[in-house]
Amino acid sequence: MNHGHFLGARLQVRYTLGRYVTHVSGPTEVQLLLDIRPVTQNPGAPPLDLRLVIDRSTSMQEESCPGSGKSKLDMVKDAVREIIDDLGPNDCLSIVSFDQALRVDLKRTHMDAKGSELAKTAITSLVAHGNTFISDALREALSPNVINGHATKVLLFTDGDCTSDPVRDHTALVNLADQARSTQLPMLIYGTGVDYNWSLLRQLSVRAGNGSCTKHIMDMSELREHLRGELAYLRGTAVEGLEVSGLSQNGVQVTGVTRFMPDMHELPSFDSEKAHPYDFFKPSFFKDQSGALDVSRGQQYLINLLVEDYFLKECGLIEINLVGRTTGKLTLFKNFHEAFLVTGLFTKDANLASPVNADVLKIQLMIAAARLAREQNYEKAEDLYRKAGDYTTATTMGRLRELHRTGQRNAVDVARTSQTMTGKAVSMIYTRTPETKE
Amino acid sequence: MLTCPECHTHYPHGSLVCLNDGHTFVQNEDSRQMVQTILRGLPVARALELRVEHVDGITFSGTIPLIVIAKARLNGPPIRIGRRDAKASPTVFPEIDFHNYFVGSTERPPISRIHAVIEVIDNVAQICSASSVPTFVRRTGQATAFALTVRQYHELKHLDTIYLSSPEGRHIRLRVYSPAH
């Protein structure tokens, strides 16, 4: 009998430089693509602890998209029912719903036959009514202790901003994000429509860290597929609480760090005059609390470095540190701390420089495309995605450009969708289907 | 310095893409021919992991985080154990680097910049002392450790204990785990 999955996973780190040999002429930029991935035949499929927070305010009664005939709340209910069917008896589920007040519809319950019935009954009983007040419900979802060995995630579905007391709600949400970070409890936020506070929820997920993210869904009928994928990724969790940091060597500065999973996020630069963010970069250092790592997606970074012009032959660029713990029931040897030095080769002779790495160039183009899409320049973004070889996202950008131009959908809706799609585009390059074996 | 012809933003030499408009500074390069990727395997579990088939190499653990040497690397050039010293030897990067353990310490580090090397000779992993500061090895079951003289090779076996510097004083202790056991 193979107990490999109890003993921990193997972590593979692959790094690629923009050029294998870099021509140095004055301060020179070097790109480093880092791919961190658990490699295991059987990650052990940790039991899940899903905590659903569902908006049941009046606006959730509206049609999910024109002509669908189903309300947003109905779509959420359908997707959740399907998830309940996929959960096993060792998995746990809790449901909290909210309008201006919270209601605990299902306390944390194991999804055996009886638990599944209770969960479905709770979901069916949800009726859209009232205003929106998110923070109390989110606090309730975050409050139960994390069960050791469970892959835990809070899933929030909403379409509205707080209408009753926004100041108190927003302040509380910020505190709750800090709580989520300290307890290493990731949040996956799904927003739909144009009335919810996209910016606030994005900040919330960035602040919560540990793999939290916010996704905008134009058509709630897509939610089912989103959740199914998320469940598959969660089941492949092999490493928890991963923190990635880098210490640049003498003569090297970190000028930018972009994380790819679960969606693309450019780490902010450290500003000593402001309250500094948790995940940040500064010239000498970067740090990112990446959270759980699953075998399908792993974690990737593009790190931009600036090296001094005296670099010659092989030189150390940045020391990468990986701290985390493997999942599984065996507590012995769970924690790990690995460090390695990334070195690069440099030359003063331009003829000896290597051609640029195709993967690095592609990622750089996609980051530029994402920025253009964020500025609603969908046409240029489409071109760049095509240039990068991502024809799927290029087509999506073309469709969004048309929706934007013709006014078929609200511009805000289109903009949020584009951000979700561009965030997903880079991450999809590195996502393997959960069935793929190494 | 590079300048984007479209938005006139300046970028440092070596930049690939203008982030404002996606203009690429790379020209006439067939990047498909040169996809260089460096691989590195890091088992994250420790001793017990070695019983799982995919761990392939020699693993150290002890008073330091786990260090793993992949088999492919073991068969390559000698693996240097030491501490990086950016001032005295800026181009020396020991593969197993303990410089972090002495950062901020005013005391003289107990190990050399290149203290010892690990090498495979005749398909046998061996450690060789490379410094006048001694390296000690204690085989499991033996009561005492013996010192290697400079350039003396010693076969590494499962559960051997290596002391970088004298075990009586400040030292780093390593334990060898071989995947064959």
PDB file of all heavy atoms in Angstrom, chain A residues 114-143:
ATOM      1  N   LYS A 114     -27.578  12.560   5.269  1.00  0.00           N
ATOM      2  CA  LYS A 114     -28.472  13.431   6.041  1.00  0.00           C
ATOM      3  C   LYS A 114     -28.048  14.900   5.906  1.00  0.00           C
ATOM      4  O   LYS A 114     -28.896  15.792   5.720  1.00  0.00           O
ATOM      5  CB  LYS A 114     -28.422  12.997   7.523  1.00  0.00           C
ATOM      6  CG  LYS A 114     -29.496  13.612   8.379  1.00  0.00           C
ATOM      7  CD  LYS A 114     -29.356  13.140   9.816  1.00  0.00           C
ATOM      8  CE  LYS A 114     -30.223  14.001  10.718  1.00  0.00           C
ATOM      9  NZ  LYS A 114     -29.914  13.765  12.137  1.00  0.00           N
ATOM     10  N   GLY A 115     -26.729  15.111   5.969  1.00  0.00           N
ATOM     11  CA  GLY A 115     -26.193  16.474   5.850  1.00  0.00           C
ATOM     12  C   GLY A 115     -26.535  17.088   4.495  1.00  0.00           C
ATOM     13  O   GLY A 115     -26.883  18.277   4.404  1.00  0.00           O
ATOM     14  N   SER A 116     -26.422  16.286   3.433  1.00  0.00           N
ATOM     15  CA  SER A 116     -26.738  16.787   2.094  1.00  0.00           C
ATOM     16  C   SER A 116     -28.198  17.224   2.001  1.00  0.00           C
ATOM     17  O   SER A 116     -28.509  18.265   1.410  1.00  0.00           O
ATOM     18  CB  SER A 116     -26.490  15.696   1.052  1.00  0.00           C
ATOM     19  OG  SER A 116     -25.141  15.403   1.003  1.00  0.00           O
ATOM     20  N   GLU A 117     -29.057  16.433   2.606  1.00  0.00           N
ATOM     21  CA  GLU A 117     -30.488  16.778   2.585  1.00  0.00           C
ATOM     22  C   GLU A 117     -30.739  18.104   3.297  1.00  0.00           C
ATOM     23  O   GLU A 117     -31.478  18.969   2.818  1.00  0.00           O
ATOM     24  CB  GLU A 117     -31.308  15.664   3.261  1.00  0.00           C
ATOM     25  CG  GLU A 117     -31.592  14.473   2.359  1.00  0.00           C
ATOM     26  CD  GLU A 117     -32.217  14.896   1.029  1.00  0.00           C
ATOM     27  OE1 GLU A 117     -33.205  15.646   1.039  1.00  0.00           O
ATOM     28  OE2 GLU A 117     -31.668  14.499  -0.014  1.00  0.00           O
ATOM     29  N   LEU A 118     -30.093  18.226   4.472  1.00  0.00           N
ATOM     30  CA  LEU A 118     -30.253  19.469   5.251  1.00  0.00           C
ATOM     31  C   LEU A 118     -29.754  20.678   4.433  1.00  0.00           C
ATOM     32  O   LEU A 118     -30.397  21.729   4.404  1.00  0.00           O
ATOM     33  CB  LEU A 118     -29.452  19.382   6.551  1.00  0.00           C
ATOM     34  CG  LEU A 118     -30.034  18.514   7.657  1.00  0.00           C
ATOM     35  CD1 LEU A 118     -29.039  18.363   8.795  1.00  0.00           C
ATOM     36  CD2 LEU A 118     -31.338  19.146   8.182  1.00  0.00           C
ATOM     37  N   ALA A 119     -28.607  20.478   3.763  1.00  0.00           N
ATOM     38  CA  ALA A 119     -28.021  21.582   2.987  1.00  0.00           C
ATOM     39  C   ALA A 119     -28.936  21.979   1.829  1.00  0.00           C
ATOM     40  O   ALA A 119     -29.150  23.170   1.579  1.00  0.00           O
ATOM     41  CB  ALA A 119     -26.647  21.175   2.466  1.00  0.00           C
ATOM     42  N   LYS A 120     -29.480  20.980   1.146  1.00  0.00           N
ATOM     43  CA  LYS A 120     -30.357  21.289   0.010  1.00  0.00           C
ATOM     44  C   LYS A 120     -31.640  21.986   0.474  1.00  0.00           C
ATOM     45  O   LYS A 120     -32.141  22.897  -0.184  1.00  0.00           O
ATOM     46  CB  LYS A 120     -30.696  20.005  -0.743  1.00  0.00           C
ATOM     47  CG  LYS A 120     -29.541  19.530  -1.618  1.00  0.00           C
ATOM     48  CD  LYS A 120     -29.879  18.275  -2.362  1.00  0.00           C
ATOM     49  CE  LYS A 120     -28.675  17.809  -3.154  1.00  0.00           C
ATOM     50  NZ  LYS A 120     -28.855  16.491  -3.751  1.00  0.00           N
ATOM     51  N   THR A 121     -32.140  21.537   1.615  1.00  0.00           N
ATOM     52  CA  THR A 121     -33.338  22.187   2.162  1.00  0.00           C
ATOM     53  C   THR A 121     -33.037  23.654   2.488  1.00  0.00           C
ATOM     54  O   THR A 121     -33.827  24.556   2.196  1.00  0.00           O
ATOM     55  CB  THR A 121     -33.795  21.455   3.440  1.00  0.00           C
ATOM     56  OG1 THR A 121     -33.902  20.074   3.143  1.00  0.00           O
ATOM     57  CG2 THR A 121     -35.128  21.977   3.945  1.00  0.00           C
ATOM     58  N   ALA A 122     -31.841  23.864   3.077  1.00  0.00           N
ATOM     59  CA  ALA A 122     -31.456  25.231   3.456  1.00  0.00           C
ATOM     60  C   ALA A 122     -31.324  26.110   2.215  1.00  0.00           C
ATOM     61  O   ALA A 122     -31.762  27.276   2.217  1.00  0.00           O
ATOM     62  CB  ALA A 122     -30.137  25.203   4.224  1.00  0.00           C
ATOM     63  N   ILE A 123     -30.754  25.552   1.176  1.00  0.00           N
ATOM     64  CA  ILE A 123     -30.567  26.321  -0.065  1.00  0.00           C
ATOM     65  C   ILE A 123     -31.923  26.651  -0.695  1.00  0.00           C
ATOM     66  O   ILE A 123     -32.182  27.786  -1.125  1.00  0.00           O
ATOM     67  CB  ILE A 123     -29.684  25.520  -1.044  1.00  0.00           C
ATOM     68  CG1 ILE A 123     -28.215  25.703  -0.671  1.00  0.00           C
ATOM     69  CG2 ILE A 123     -29.890  25.923  -2.481  1.00  0.00           C
ATOM     70  CD1 ILE A 123     -27.684  27.114  -0.878  1.00  0.00           C
ATOM     71  N   THR A 124     -32.797  25.662  -0.719  1.00  0.00           N
ATOM     72  CA  THR A 124     -34.113  25.867  -1.343  1.00  0.00           C
ATOM     73  C   THR A 124     -34.907  26.957  -0.628  1.00  0.00           C
ATOM     74  O   THR A 124     -35.682  27.688  -1.241  1.00  0.00           O
ATOM     75  CB  THR A 124     -34.894  24.532  -1.345  1.00  0.00           C
ATOM     76  OG1 THR A 124     -34.052  23.537  -1.899  1.00  0.00           O
ATOM     77  CG2 THR A 124     -36.181  24.625  -2.142  1.00  0.00           C
ATOM     78  N   SER A 125     -34.681  27.050   0.689  1.00  0.00           N
ATOM     79  CA  SER A 125     -35.493  27.991   1.474  1.00  0.00           C
ATOM     80  C   SER A 125     -35.066  29.454   1.307  1.00  0.00           C
ATOM     81  O   SER A 125     -35.718  30.343   1.845  1.00  0.00           O
ATOM     82  CB  SER A 125     -35.416  27.606   2.961  1.00  0.00           C
ATOM     83  OG  SER A 125     -34.111  27.863   3.421  1.00  0.00           O
ATOM     84  N   LEU A 126     -33.978  29.696   0.576  1.00  0.00           N
ATOM     85  CA  LEU A 126     -33.512  31.088   0.438  1.00  0.00           C
ATOM     86  C   LEU A 126     -34.483  31.887  -0.440  1.00  0.00           C
ATOM     87  O   LEU A 126     -34.819  31.466  -1.545  1.00  0.00           O
ATOM     88  CB  LEU A 126     -32.115  31.136  -0.181  1.00  0.00           C
ATOM     89  CG  LEU A 126     -30.958  30.561   0.635  1.00  0.00           C
ATOM     90  CD1 LEU A 126     -29.651  30.691  -0.130  1.00  0.00           C
ATOM     91  CD2 LEU A 126     -30.846  31.263   1.985  1.00  0.00           C
ATOM     92  N   VAL A 127     -34.900  33.031   0.073  1.00  0.00           N
ATOM     93  CA  VAL A 127     -35.805  33.906  -0.677  1.00  0.00           C
ATOM     94  C   VAL A 127     -35.202  35.310  -0.692  1.00  0.00           C
ATOM     95  O   VAL A 127     -34.735  35.794   0.347  1.00  0.00           O
ATOM     96  CB  VAL A 127     -37.208  33.952  -0.014  1.00  0.00           C
ATOM     97  CG1 VAL A 127     -38.134  34.883  -0.779  1.00  0.00           C
ATOM     98  CG2 VAL A 127     -37.809  32.559   0.063  1.00  0.00           C
ATOM     99  N   ALA A 128     -35.177  35.930  -1.866  1.00  0.00           N
ATOM    100  CA  ALA A 128     -34.594  37.269  -1.977  1.00  0.00           C
ATOM    101  C   ALA A 128     -35.501  38.307  -1.327  1.00  0.00           C
ATOM    102  O   ALA A 128     -36.702  38.364  -1.601  1.00  0.00           O
ATOM    103  CB  ALA A 128     -34.379  37.607  -3.450  1.00  0.00           C
ATOM    104  N   HIS A 129     -34.882  39.127  -0.455  1.00  0.00           N
ATOM    105  CA  HIS A 129     -35.659  40.132   0.271  1.00  0.00           C
ATOM    106  C   HIS A 129     -34.714  41.096   0.988  1.00  0.00           C
ATOM    107  O   HIS A 129     -33.659  40.697   1.449  1.00  0.00           O
ATOM    108  CB  HIS A 129     -36.558  39.416   1.302  1.00  0.00           C
ATOM    109  CG  HIS A 129     -37.352  40.377   2.131  1.00  0.00           C
ATOM    110  ND1 HIS A 129     -36.928  40.816   3.364  1.00  0.00           N
ATOM    111  CD2 HIS A 129     -38.529  40.978   1.875  1.00  0.00           C
ATOM    112  CE1 HIS A 129     -37.834  41.670   3.843  1.00  0.00           C
ATOM    113  NE2 HIS A 129     -38.803  41.775   2.962  1.00  0.00           N
ATOM    114  N   GLY A 130     -35.075  42.344   1.042  1.00  0.00           N
ATOM    115  CA  GLY A 130     -34.370  43.294   1.899  1.00  0.00           C
ATOM    116  C   GLY A 130     -33.139  43.936   1.292  1.00  0.00           C
ATOM    117  O   GLY A 130     -32.847  43.821   0.105  1.00  0.00           O
ATOM    118  N   ASN A 131     -32.379  44.641   2.164  1.00  0.00           N
ATOM    119  CA  ASN A 131     -31.176  45.367   1.765  1.00  0.00           C
ATOM    120  C   ASN A 131     -29.934  44.468   1.856  1.00  0.00           C
ATOM    121  O   ASN A 131     -30.053  43.257   2.052  1.00  0.00           O
ATOM    122  CB  ASN A 131     -30.998  46.593   2.655  1.00  0.00           C
ATOM    123  CG  ASN A 131     -32.087  47.615   2.411  1.00  0.00           C
ATOM    124  OD1 ASN A 131     -32.531  47.783   1.283  1.00  0.00           O
ATOM    125  ND2 ASN A 131     -32.538  48.265   3.471  1.00  0.00           N
ATOM    126  N   THR A 132     -28.781  45.115   1.764  1.00  0.00           N
ATOM    127  CA  THR A 132     -27.527  44.349   1.786  1.00  0.00           C
ATOM    128  C   THR A 132     -26.651  44.819   2.933  1.00  0.00           C
ATOM    129  O   THR A 132     -26.423  46.022   3.082  1.00  0.00           O
ATOM    130  CB  THR A 132     -26.763  44.573   0.454  1.00  0.00           C
ATOM    131  OG1 THR A 132     -27.649  44.292  -0.620  1.00  0.00           O
ATOM    132  CG2 THR A 132     -25.548  43.672   0.360  1.00  0.00           C
ATOM    133  N   PHE A 133     -26.163  43.872   3.723  1.00  0.00           N
ATOM    134  CA  PHE A 133     -25.161  44.163   4.756  1.00  0.00           C
ATOM    135  C   PHE A 133     -24.290  42.919   4.876  1.00  0.00           C
ATOM    136  O   PHE A 133     -24.702  41.893   5.411  1.00  0.00           O
ATOM    137  CB  PHE A 133     -25.837  44.500   6.094  1.00  0.00           C
ATOM    138  CG  PHE A 133     -24.906  45.133   7.077  1.00  0.00           C
ATOM    139  CD1 PHE A 133     -24.676  46.501   7.073  1.00  0.00           C
ATOM    140  CD2 PHE A 133     -24.217  44.351   7.997  1.00  0.00           C
ATOM    141  CE1 PHE A 133     -23.791  47.081   7.968  1.00  0.00           C
ATOM    142  CE2 PHE A 133     -23.331  44.929   8.902  1.00  0.00           C
ATOM    143  CZ  PHE A 133     -23.118  46.295   8.889  1.00  0.00           C
ATOM    144  N   ILE A 134     -23.059  43.023   4.340  1.00  0.00           N
ATOM    145  CA  ILE A 134     -22.259  41.806   4.126  1.00  0.00           C
ATOM    146  C   ILE A 134     -21.486  41.367   5.369  1.00  0.00           C
ATOM    147  O   ILE A 134     -21.372  40.184   5.659  1.00  0.00           O
ATOM    148  CB  ILE A 134     -21.250  42.039   2.966  1.00  0.00           C
ATOM    149  CG1 ILE A 134     -21.988  42.474   1.691  1.00  0.00           C
ATOM    150  CG2 ILE A 134     -20.440  40.785   2.684  1.00  0.00           C
ATOM    151  CD1 ILE A 134     -21.085  42.890   0.543  1.00  0.00           C
ATOM    152  N   SER A 135     -20.926  42.335   6.099  1.00  0.00           N
ATOM    153  CA  SER A 135     -19.863  41.997   7.056  1.00  0.00           C
ATOM    154  C   SER A 135     -20.296  41.041   8.165  1.00  0.00           C
ATOM    155  O   SER A 135     -19.521  40.174   8.572  1.00  0.00           O
ATOM    156  CB  SER A 135     -19.270  43.265   7.652  1.00  0.00           C
ATOM    157  OG  SER A 135     -20.266  44.042   8.250  1.00  0.00           O
ATOM    158  N   ASP A 136     -21.524  41.188   8.670  1.00  0.00           N
ATOM    159  CA  ASP A 136     -21.953  40.296   9.760  1.00  0.00           C
ATOM    160  C   ASP A 136     -21.946  38.841   9.297  1.00  0.00           C
ATOM    161  O   ASP A 136     -21.516  37.940  10.031  1.00  0.00           O
ATOM    162  CB  ASP A 136     -23.362  40.678  10.242  1.00  0.00           C
ATOM    163  CG  ASP A 136     -23.329  41.936  11.102  1.00  0.00           C
ATOM    164  OD1 ASP A 136     -22.207  42.356  11.472  1.00  0.00           O
ATOM    165  OD2 ASP A 136     -24.406  42.495  11.382  1.00  0.00           O
ATOM    166  N   ALA A 137     -22.429  38.634   8.066  1.00  0.00           N
ATOM    167  CA  ALA A 137     -22.484  37.262   7.545  1.00  0.00           C
ATOM    168  C   ALA A 137     -21.082  36.718   7.320  1.00  0.00           C
ATOM    169  O   ALA A 137     -20.796  35.547   7.614  1.00  0.00           O
ATOM    170  CB  ALA A 137     -23.280  37.244   6.243  1.00  0.00           C
ATOM    171  N   LEU A 138     -20.197  37.571   6.826  1.00  0.00           N
ATOM    172  CA  LEU A 138     -18.827  37.117   6.575  1.00  0.00           C
ATOM    173  C   LEU A 138     -18.128  36.795   7.891  1.00  0.00           C
ATOM    174  O   LEU A 138     -17.384  35.807   7.998  1.00  0.00           O
ATOM    175  CB  LEU A 138     -18.063  38.217   5.812  1.00  0.00           C
ATOM    176  CG  LEU A 138     -16.714  37.820   5.246  1.00  0.00           C
ATOM    177  CD1 LEU A 138     -16.822  36.640   4.295  1.00  0.00           C
ATOM    178  CD2 LEU A 138     -16.063  38.996   4.517  1.00  0.00           C
ATOM    179  N   ARG A 139     -18.396  37.601   8.917  1.00  0.00           N
ATOM    180  CA  ARG A 139     -17.799  37.344  10.236  1.00  0.00           C
ATOM    181  C   ARG A 139     -18.250  35.978  10.756  1.00  0.00           C
ATOM    182  O   ARG A 139     -17.461  35.203  11.291  1.00  0.00           O
ATOM    183  CB  ARG A 139     -18.205  38.446  11.222  1.00  0.00           C
ATOM    184  CG  ARG A 139     -17.519  38.301  12.582  1.00  0.00           C
ATOM    185  CD  ARG A 139     -17.882  39.404  13.547  1.00  0.00           C
ATOM    186  NE  ARG A 139     -17.391  40.702  13.087  1.00  0.00           N
ATOM    187  CZ  ARG A 139     -18.173  41.685  12.642  1.00  0.00           C
ATOM    188  NH1 ARG A 139     -19.491  41.520  12.611  1.00  0.00           N
ATOM    189  NH2 ARG A 139     -17.671  42.825  12.226  1.00  0.00           N
ATOM    190  N   GLU A 140     -19.515  35.702  10.568  1.00  0.00           N
ATOM    191  CA  GLU A 140     -20.070  34.424  11.014  1.00  0.00           C
ATOM    192  C   GLU A 140     -19.372  33.253  10.279  1.00  0.00           C
ATOM    193  O   GLU A 140     -19.059  32.228  10.881  1.00  0.00           O
ATOM    194  CB  GLU A 140     -21.580  34.407  10.732  1.00  0.00           C
ATOM    195  CG  GLU A 140     -22.294  33.137  11.146  1.00  0.00           C
ATOM    196  CD  GLU A 140     -22.246  32.887  12.646  1.00  0.00           C
ATOM    197  OE1 GLU A 140     -22.244  33.881  13.402  1.00  0.00           O
ATOM    198  OE2 GLU A 140     -22.191  31.707  13.041  1.00  0.00           O
ATOM    199  N   ALA A 141     -19.135  33.457   8.977  1.00  0.00           N
ATOM    200  CA  ALA A 141     -18.501  32.387   8.187  1.00  0.00           C
ATOM    201  C   ALA A 141     -17.044  32.179   8.596  1.00  0.00           C
ATOM    202  O   ALA A 141     -16.530  31.062   8.549  1.00  0.00           O
ATOM    203  CB  ALA A 141     -18.573  32.738   6.705  1.00  0.00           C
ATOM    204  N   LEU A 142     -16.389  33.251   9.003  1.00  0.00           N
ATOM    205  CA  LEU A 142     -14.971  33.145   9.367  1.00  0.00           C
ATOM    206  C   LEU A 142     -14.762  32.619  10.784  1.00  0.00           C
ATOM    207  O   LEU A 142     -13.679  32.160  11.128  1.00  0.00           O
ATOM    208  CB  LEU A 142     -14.296  34.520   9.268  1.00  0.00           C
ATOM    209  CG  LEU A 142     -14.077  35.095   7.869  1.00  0.00           C
ATOM    210  CD1 LEU A 142     -13.615  36.543   7.951  1.00  0.00           C
ATOM    211  CD2 LEU A 142     -13.045  34.278   7.112  1.00  0.00           C
ATOM    212  N   SER A 143     -15.821  32.705  11.602  1.00  0.00           N
ATOM    213  CA  SER A 143     -15.626  32.450  13.030  1.00  0.00           C
ATOM    214  C   SER A 143     -15.302  30.992  13.395  1.00  0.00           C
ATOM    215  O   SER A 143     -14.485  30.778  14.287  1.00  0.00           O
ATOM    216  CB  SER A 143     -16.834  32.943  13.824  1.00  0.00           C
ATOM    217  OG  SER A 143     -17.987  32.277  13.380  1.00  0.00           O
TER     218      SER A 143
END
